[in-house]
C-alpha cells in the first residue's frame, strides 16, 4: 500500500510534467514500466521521435534523465502518456513553441497547475531568458542549457526531486527547487518550450505578474 502523501507531495504530483511527473506517479501508485502506450489515444507518444510504445523504462531515469552521451532525452516523457499529448506534439514533434505555450497553459488550468507554473517561471528565471526564440530547436536548447547551467542539467536524476518542494496554492517553495525543475526541462528536452510558455502566458497576464513577478528578485 502506498504511503500517504504529504501536502507538498500532493502539490508536486499535480504540478510536475515530463520525467519528474513520471517518477512521482510510479512512486505513488506502484506502477513500473510495463504499461502499454495507447497510440490511438496519445499518438504523439508513438511518433518515431519518441517511440514510447517500444521504449519507456522510467527507472533508468532515477540517476540520469539525460542520455548517457549527455544529450536531452525526450523519451523521458513517455510515462506521461496519455497526459500532455498536445504539448508533447507541439514541443517535441513539431517544434511549435507558441502552440506549446498555449496547449500547456490549457492543461495547467485543467490540472490545477497554474500557480506552480507561474512561480516556476519567475523563480527559475525563465521569464527573461532572451536566448530562446520561436525557432529554437533541440540542439540550440542544449547549448542554451550549457551556457546557463554548465553540465549540471546532464547530471540530474529523478532522485533529485527530493529537493523540490511545491505547494499547490503558492507554487514552488524555493528557488533551488525551481532551478532543478528547469534543469530537468533541459534534460527532458523542453526547456526552450517552457521559456516560451512563460513568456506567452504568465508574463502577460496581470494576475500572475502581480502575484509572482517579485520572485524574480525575492525569495518565496
Amino acid at each position: 500500500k502506498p504511503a500517504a502523501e504529504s501536502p507538498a507531495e500532493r502539490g508536486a504530483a499535480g504540478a510536475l510534467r515530463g520525467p519528474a511527473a513520471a517518477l512521482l506517479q510510479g512512486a505513488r501508485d506502484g506502477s513500473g514500466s510495463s504499461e502499454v502506450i495507447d497510440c490511438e489515444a496519445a499518438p504523439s507518444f508513438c511518433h518515431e521521435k519518441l517511440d514510447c510504445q517500444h521504449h519507456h523504462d522510467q527507472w533508468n531515469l532515477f540517476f540520469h534523465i539525460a542520455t548517457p552521451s549527455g544529450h536531452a532525452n525526450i523519451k523521458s516523457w513517455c510515462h506521461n502518456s496519455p497526459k500532455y499529448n498536445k504539448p508533447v506534439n507541439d514541443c517535441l514533434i513539431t517544434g511549435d513553441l507558441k502552440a506549446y505555450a498555449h496547449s500547456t497553459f490549457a492543461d495547467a488550468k485543467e490540472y490545477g497547475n497554474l500557480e506552480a507554473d507561474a512561480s516556476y517561471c519567475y523563480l527559475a528565471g525563465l521569464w527573461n531568458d532572451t536566448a530562446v526564440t520561436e525557432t529554437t530547436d533541440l540542439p540550440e536548447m542544449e547549448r542554451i542549457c550549457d551556457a546557463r547551467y554548465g553540465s549540471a542539467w546532464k547530471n540530474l536524476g529523478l532522485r533529485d526531486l527530493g529537493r523540490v518542494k511545491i505547494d499547490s496554492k503558492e507554487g514552488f517553495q524555493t528557488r533551488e527547487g525551481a532551478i532543478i525543475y528547469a534543469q530537468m526541462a533541459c534534460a527532458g528536452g523542453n526547456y526552450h518550450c517552457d521559456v516560451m510558455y512563460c513568456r506567452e502566458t504568465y508574463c502577460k497576464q496581470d494576475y500572475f505578474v502581480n502575484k509572482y513577478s517579485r520572485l524574480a528578485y525575492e525569495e518565496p
Side-chain angles (χ1 to χ4, degrees):
K1 181 180 179 180
E5 294 175 281
S6 69
E9 288 171 330
R10 284 195 296 273
L16 296 175
R17 301 184 304 281
L23 183 71
L24 258 175
Q25 184 62 36
R28 290 164 65 228
D29 63 17
S31 64
S33 58
S34 60
E35 67 269 20
V36 176
I37 301 296
D38 186 340
C39 294
E40 185 173 341
S44 296
F45 292 90
C46 296
H47 188 277
E48 60 183 8
K49 287 186 177 181
L50 272 75
D51 194 32
C52 293
Q53 70 272 36
H54 299 123
H55 176 101
H56 54 284
D57 185 0
Q58 74 183 39
W59 301 113
N60 287 335
L61 308 175
F62 188 73
F63 294 103
H64 290 96
I65 297 170
T67 67
S69 58
H71 291 287
N73 179 13
I74 64 173
K75 293 180 184 292
S76 62
W77 276 82
C78 287
H79 273 271
N80 285 267
S81 176
K83 276 188 176 182
Y84 309 117
N85 180 68
K86 180 68 163 62
V88 164
N89 177 73
D90 295 337
C91 177
L92 304 178
I93 307 302
T94 66
D96 189 336
L97 275 60
K98 280 195 173 182
Y100 171 88
H102 295 289
S103 61
T104 301
F105 187 84
D107 278 355
K109 187 174 183 179
E110 178 181 353
Y111 300 136
N113 299 345
L114 295 175
E115 304 294 330
D117 282 359
S119 65
Y120 161 61
C121 289
Y122 288 103
L123 279 170
L126 274 63
W127 68 281
N128 70 343
D129 189 337
T130 58
V132 172
T133 70
E134 290 183 48
T135 60
T136 298
D137 58 13
L138 196 60
E140 186 177 357
M141 183 217 75
E142 292 183 340
R143 292 191 290 271
I144 292 169
C145 289
D146 285 343
R148 194 172 182 96
Y149 302 119
S151 62
W153 67 272
K154 302 176 183 180
N155 297 316
L156 278 178
L158 296 178
R159 58 180 176 174
D160 294 294
L161 280 175
R163 294 185 282 155
V164 178
K165 305 300 180 185
I166 305 174
D167 180 86
S168 58
K169 294 182 178 180
E170 298 299 328
F172 281 79
Q173 299 297 285
T174 66
R175 192 174 307 280
E176 177 196 28
I179 290 172
I180 288 172
Y181 190 49
Q183 292 172 343
M184 286 185 173
C186 289
N190 60 290
Y191 173 84
H192 55 318
C193 301
D194 278 4
V195 170
M196 191 62 66
Y197 170 43
C198 294
R199 187 182 299 166
E200 287 293 306
T201 58
Y202 303 104
C203 295
K204 290 184 175 181
Q205 299 187 27
D206 289 344
Y207 168 79
F208 297 110
V209 172
N210 292 336
K211 183 173 182 179
Y212 291 108
S213 62
R214 66 176 183 82
L215 296 178
Y217 308 102
E218 300 176 10
E219 296 304 312

